[in-house]
């Protein structure tokens, strides 16, 4: 096998450094043969190296466990690791979009949290039997296969966190009828959004909204809705970026 291109190695090192998985070297000098100091895995890096997920998702899972909102973060990480549970048939796209939006609550404003709510609703439906589960998926344009894959991934991710000492075994918790310390904040969606942002950083975008403009109407001045082209987007490594059409 041919070794990967140097540019790919340097980019991988840069990503690991950005998530806090590397230490000891000099930023920008990723390869030792370029005069850089030797790099080593940080404590976080050792944990991430044992997790079968992208480093950013692994970091998000650890944050979720430490900050007590693990269950929804497990769902989000699993959803990002497989196919979306939401179906969108070509001939029923509008109906599917309405069903999808029905899971959202007014202040969610997040596709990740929407996936959490859909998964939780499916979990409740599953408890009522396989027939009710199938009907629930059909009525809400959800993929039963994707949801079961998400369920399996959630368990795998939790097992990894248990082995690393970040979470407790669910069987032990049930046996002792104890409260799971990893889920004391699982209903705090402001915290969950913060965990998503911190975990996926620097893969985040800053949105700069245009100045509000007003138009005169019979009822007085009203704020004018900005056009999509008036919004500007920025990322840390690239500066201003543009949405793909």
């Amino acid at each position: 096998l041919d070794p990967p291109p140097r540019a790919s190695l340097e980019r991988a090192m840069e990503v690991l450094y950005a998530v806090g998985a590397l230490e000891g070297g000099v930023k920008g000098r990723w390869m030792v043969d370029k005069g850089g100091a030797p790099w080593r895995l940080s404590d976080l890096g050792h944990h991430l190296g044992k997790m079968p997920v992208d480093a950013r998702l692994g970091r998000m899972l650890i944050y979720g466990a430490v900050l007590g909102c693990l269950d929804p973060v497990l769902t989000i990480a699993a959803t990002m690791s497989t196919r979306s549970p939401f179906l969108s048939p070509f001939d029923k796209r509008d109906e599917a979009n309405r069903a999808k939006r029905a899971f959202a609550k007014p202040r969610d404003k997040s596709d990740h949290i929407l996936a959490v709510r859909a998964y939780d609703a499916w979990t409740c439906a599953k408890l009522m039997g396989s027939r009710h589960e199938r009907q629930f998926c059909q009525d809400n344009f959800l993929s039963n296969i994707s949801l079961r894959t998400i369920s399996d991934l959630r368990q795998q991710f939790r097992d990894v966190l248990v082995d690393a000492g970040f979470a407790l075994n669910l069987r032990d918790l049930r046996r002792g009828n104890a409260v799971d310390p990893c889920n004391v904040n699982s209903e705090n969606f402001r915290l969950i959004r913060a965990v998503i942002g911190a975990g996926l950083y620097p893969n985040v975008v800053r949105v700069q909204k245009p100045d509000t403009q007003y138009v005169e109407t019979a009822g007085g001045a009203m704020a004018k809705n900005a056009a999509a082209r008036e919004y500007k987007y920025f990322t840390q490594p690239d500066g201003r970026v543009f949405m793909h059409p």
Side-chain angles (χ1 to χ4, degrees), residues 123-138:
T123 301
C124 293
K126 189 171 61 168
L127 294 175
M128 301 177 70
S130 57
R131 177 182 295 181
H132 188 86
E133 176 192 2
R134 287 194 300 270
Q135 189 63 49
F136 174 84
C137 290
Q138 181 178 332

Side-chain angles (χ1 to χ4, degrees), residues 69-83:
C69 54
L70 181 57
D71 262 2
V73 173
L74 284 171
T75 301
I76 292 165
T79 302
M80 296 178 68
S81 302
T82 188
R83 298 184 63 177

Side-chain angles (χ1 to χ4, degrees), residues 102-114:
F103 287 110
K105 293 191 177 181
R107 295 187 178 182
D108 284 352
K109 298 181 181 179
S110 168
D111 286 342
H112 297 309
I113 293 176
L114 184 68

